[in-house]
Amino acid sequence: MHRNRLTLLVPLLIVAAAPAAPRAPRLNDQVTNLLATARLSGNLDSFGRGLRGAADEVIYDPRRGDFARPSQYHEYGVGFGQDLGVVPADKAAWWQAEWPARVAVNLIMLSGVYPNQPQPATAWKIEVRRDGAWTTHEQGVGGWYDSGLYVWGGVDTAPMDIDGLRVSLFSRDDETPLRSIHFRGEPGRSWLAARVDTTILPPPPTFEALIAPLGAPVRPGQAVAFNGGAALAKGEYTWDFGDGASGRGQSIRHRFERPGIYRVALTVSDGRAKSTGLMLVRVHTAETLDVPQVVLDTDQKNEQDDQHYLGYAVFSELDVLAVNSIHHGGGQEPINYAEIQHVLDLARQSGLPAARVPLLFHGADRRLQPPVSGLWQDTEPEPSEASEAILAAVRGAAPGHAVWVVPVGPGTNVASAILLARAQKLDLRGRLRIMWLGGSDHAVTGEFNGDNDPWSLYVIAQSGVETWILPAPVGARVAIDKRTQGDLYADNPLGAYLKSIVPAANKPLFDPACLSAIISERLGLGWVKATEFVDVAGPDKGYRWTPSAKPGAVRVIREIQQLAMRDDIFATMKGRGQRLVGAPIARAGAR
């Protein structure tokens, strides 16, 4: 999705610590990572502190769209928490690439460490080798290695001919020990050495293709006006409507003949650079006009309730437009994405119609970072397929029929979408609603999801977008014990899988309760028994929320009807859930 939205590429060298990491180049599949062709080695095993990963596990290969050697954590390091003591520069820990002959390189990208293992006092040195002689390319302390990304070069940088590349880590002085040192790969970002030019990586566009939001629901056979705005005065505007039809022009009309979800793409080009904007369009029947539309954010390999959540969603009558994978601090997003694919495949085997299979998008793989100013508006977004998909769904939503986005883990995708919408001057009021699962009884933090990404939830809370929070302690009340309730599972491949992965003892089903709350709110079922309006504080006050006298954007769910929710979760996956298609608008719970 991002291959026509490439950033960079001017010569730059980013080595100092910064509150927000630099933007990585959007690498297309023509870029050859020369590190994937090198002999890779390291000396971390010589420290005798346990070894994590291998030297080749950090290498991302753009041609494959995956790591050269796929693994769970994409790292090469010593044992977690291991103290190596003081390590002098002449006995440094190192990672190294060697080629049998010189290679031409004008782009190097290296990513920093995992955030839960900071390295502000670790010294580093990047060296290159020519004909057996090593020279220092750059060196420093902390900086990119502690937080962020090292980027050298770009399309306008003259290549250097080298036959070796080495990154060393050592103590900054005679008193500072090394602890938990590691080299970390990130999808699409690193570790990479390549030669790029404008034929491989076109220059970034100075314009942005944005589709104007729709003004009314779309019905089959109805002529719909699409407007590409004024991205470029003399550009080429090309439309792909997702139904096999295409067109040209800044503004265009199109008819969708059948109900369904369509991915509409607008590509704008000035003959040299391109930008692509997206919209997700639901073509409605009369009966589906008032069915809640949802975009799911999910960390499928975090807890077994995640898979229950996805199964419940796709077999319900909720209008599931898309599913986004999310991170848990970096490195896990590809694992979550693969599990979503697996659950959707089981759903198909269990009778899910092809028309009900949602679109799937990769999400962010790292957290948002608080800006130096401390102002949420200054936060740098983490753009991803998922953040674009959220905005694409918002653009396709009819006014007054907002899309629910349901992050059941870190909120990076949603917060990034909100920040991008601000930059695009896209009004989210009436088009976006959020239901977040996480937090403790009194704060964003104090619980796994909240502790992993608190700043994102703070951004969401301050944005004014309608936000509901289902705290983890409340969501935990919806639970299953398969020793006595195993008969609740559907007799099909998805049901068998869910039953096999859930622990035998009492297991909270946190995530599906978010969807039950949306269904209850739409039908006026009363499953959400008590809510409270709150203000959410920032990090200086521990991300706590306090009661608010005025109706605000943030509503905390305090009490639920857990038995009714649990019963609907399992009845739905047996084809006997609550009916939403054609259901009348509920008075109770309506806003």
Side-chain angles (χ1 to χ4, degrees):
M1 177 180 295
H2 293 284
R3 289 175 181 169
N4 291 325
R5 299 190 63 188
L6 304 171
T7 56
L8 204 71
L9 278 164
V10 294
L12 74 161
L13 179 61
I14 300 168
V15 297
R23 298 293 94 193
R26 299 294 185 187
L27 302 170
N28 65 29
D29 58 11
Q30 298 179 60
V31 175
T32 297
N33 187 353
L34 296 171
L35 295 179
T37 68
R39 184 173 72 86
L40 305 176
S41 60
N43 72 337
L44 295 185
D45 57 341
S46 67
F47 287 86
R49 295 294 191 274
L51 190 63
R52 293 183 290 166
D56 58 351
E57 290 184 16
V58 301
I59 307 302
Y60 183 81
D61 186 351
R63 288 184 174 272
R64 296 181 55 193
D66 197 358
F67 283 86
R69 180 181 174 185
S71 61
Q72 183 171 3
Y73 296 111
H74 324 302
E75 68 177 325
Y76 172 56
V78 300
F80 179 78
Q82 290 297 319
D83 192 335
L84 275 62
V86 174
V87 177
D90 61 352
K91 296 181 180 179
W94 49 262
W95 172 98
Q96 180 172 286
E98 299 174 280
W99 293 272
R102 285 187 179 185
V103 294
V105 173
N106 69 344
L107 175 63
I108 298 174
M109 295 200 304
L110 312 170
S111 55
V113 297
Y114 282 100
N116 66 339
Q117 299 166 64
Q119 302 285 331
T122 297
W124 52 268
K125 179 167 63 174
I126 300 170
E127 299 171 279
V128 296
R129 190 181 69 185
R130 299 178 183 87
D131 300 327
W134 289 98
T135 59
T136 299
H137 183 65
E138 189 65 43
Q139 62 184 0
V141 176
W144 69 271
Y145 179 67
D146 173 50
S147 175
L149 183 71
Y150 176 93
V151 181
W152 171 83
V155 294
D156 298 322
T157 300
M160 58 178 177
D161 293 328
I162 61 175
D163 55 39
L165 175 69
R166 183 164 64 201
V167 183
S168 300
L169 305 174
F170 48 93
S171 296
R172 66 177 180 179
D173 51 38
D174 294 337
E175 299 178 352
T176 305
L178 297 190
R179 185 179 178 86
S180 293
I181 62 169
H182 60 284
F183 302 94
R184 169 199 178 196
E186 292 188 79
R189 296 163 59 90
S190 63
W191 286 42
L192 178 136
R195 177 171 183 174
V196 295
D197 57 32
T198 55
T199 65
I200 294 177
L201 290 179
T206 57
F207 50 88
E208 189 170 13
L210 298 174
I211 307 173
L214 295 180
V218 178
R219 302 286 291 273
Q222 168 193 356
V224 182
F226 292 93
N227 190 331
L232 203 60
K234 295 183 179 180
E236 182 179 85
Y237 290 73
T238 304
W239 296 85
D240 180 346
F241 294 103
D243 60 354
S246 60
R248 294 181 182 276
Q250 184 173 330
S251 297
I252 194 169
R253 297 176 75 84
H254 179 68
R255 287 181 172 86
F256 296 96
E257 299 302 327
R258 296 181 179 83
I261 306 170
Y262 296 92
R263 179 183 177 275
V264 176
L266 167 64
T267 299
V268 181
S269 172
D270 63 358
R272 189 163 180 257
K274 294 180 179 180
S275 174
T276 298
L278 299 178
M279 174 184 284
L280 300 184
V281 177
R282 160 61 74 187
V283 179
H284 290 279
T285 64
E287 292 77 19
T288 63
L289 280 171
D290 296 310
V291 173
Q293 295 180 305
V294 297
V295 173
L296 309 177
D297 254 29
T298 175
D299 50 352
Q300 285 285 288
K301 290 293 278 188
N302 178 41
E303 286 273 4
Q304 297 86 0
D305 57 322
D306 302 297
Q307 291 93 332
H308 288 70
Y309 160 78
L310 183 52
Y312 181 31
V314 296
F315 279 103
S316 74
E317 288 193 349
L318 291 167
D319 191 2
V320 184
L321 301 175
V323 184
N324 300 326
S325 57
I326 59 180
H327 67 84
H328 260 303
Q332 190 170 319
E333 184 277 331
I335 301 168
N336 293 330
Y337 186 91
E339 181 68 359
I340 295 170
Q341 291 178 309
H342 179 55
V343 173
L344 290 178
D345 183 57
L346 290 171
R348 292 186 193 96
Q349 297 175 37
S350 302
L352 183 69
R356 289 282 303 168
V357 178
L359 301 172
L360 177 56
F361 298 93
H362 276 290
D365 199 33
R366 60 174 182 166
R367 304 175 179 88
L368 296 185
Q369 299 297 316
V372 171
S373 68
L375 300 175
W376 71 269
Q377 304 96 321
D378 295 338
T379 306
E380 282 289 325
E382 182 65 26
S384 64
E385 289 184 357
S387 60
E388 291 193 16
I390 292 168
L391 293 184
V394 166
R395 293 179 183 278
H401 187 54
V403 174
W404 283 98
V405 181
V406 192
V408 292
T412 304
N413 295 337
V414 189
S416 295
I418 290 171
L419 294 165
L420 292 168
R422 285 177 57 85
Q424 298 170 8
K425 295 181 170 53
L426 173 59
D427 188 355
L428 299 177
R429 290 175 298 179
R431 292 182 177 273
L432 180 65
R433 305 172 79 181
I434 297 166
M435 176 72 72
W436 179 63
L437 182 283
S440 56
D441 282 331
H442 305 292
V444 170
T445 52
E447 171 278 331
F448 186 77
N449 284 344
D451 289 342
N452 263 278
D453 197 16
W455 185 258
S456 288
L457 224 289
Y458 179 68
V459 169
I460 292 169
Q462 303 308 307
S463 70
V465 173
E466 182 184 342
T467 301
W468 297 50
I469 296 176
L470 182 63
V474 177
R477 298 170 193 166
V478 178
I480 182 72
D481 190 326
K482 72 177 181 183
R483 296 171 301 181
T484 57
Q485 299 166 324
D487 60 320
L488 292 176
Y489 286 94
D491 185 17
N492 56 36
L494 178 60
Y497 178 65
L498 297 179
K499 188 174 181 178
S500 70
I501 62 174
V502 74
N506 190 58
K507 174 64 178 76
L509 299 178
F510 304 94
D511 301 359
C514 292
L515 302 177
S516 299
I518 294 171
I519 292 170
S520 175
E521 196 260 357
R522 166 63 182 82
L523 298 176
L525 299 174
W527 295 346
V528 176
K529 300 175 68 175
T531 64
E532 178 184 22
F533 284 105
V534 302
D535 294 321
V536 178
D540 57 326
K541 297 182 180 179
Y543 294 104
R544 292 181 66 84
W545 49 62
T546 55
S548 175
K550 61 182 186 299
V554 180
R555 180 184 295 190
V556 175
I557 297 174
R558 292 300 189 186
E559 187 177 356
I560 59 174
Q561 177 51 266
Q562 63 263 34
L563 293 180
M565 288 183 169
R566 185 204 65 192
D567 290 347
D568 188 59
I569 292 167
F570 289 96
T572 294
M573 288 189 280
K574 289 182 176 180
R576 300 194 296 269
Q578 292 291 328
R579 299 304 306 271
L580 290 161
V581 175
I585 296 291
R587 293 182 181 275
R591 291 178 62 88

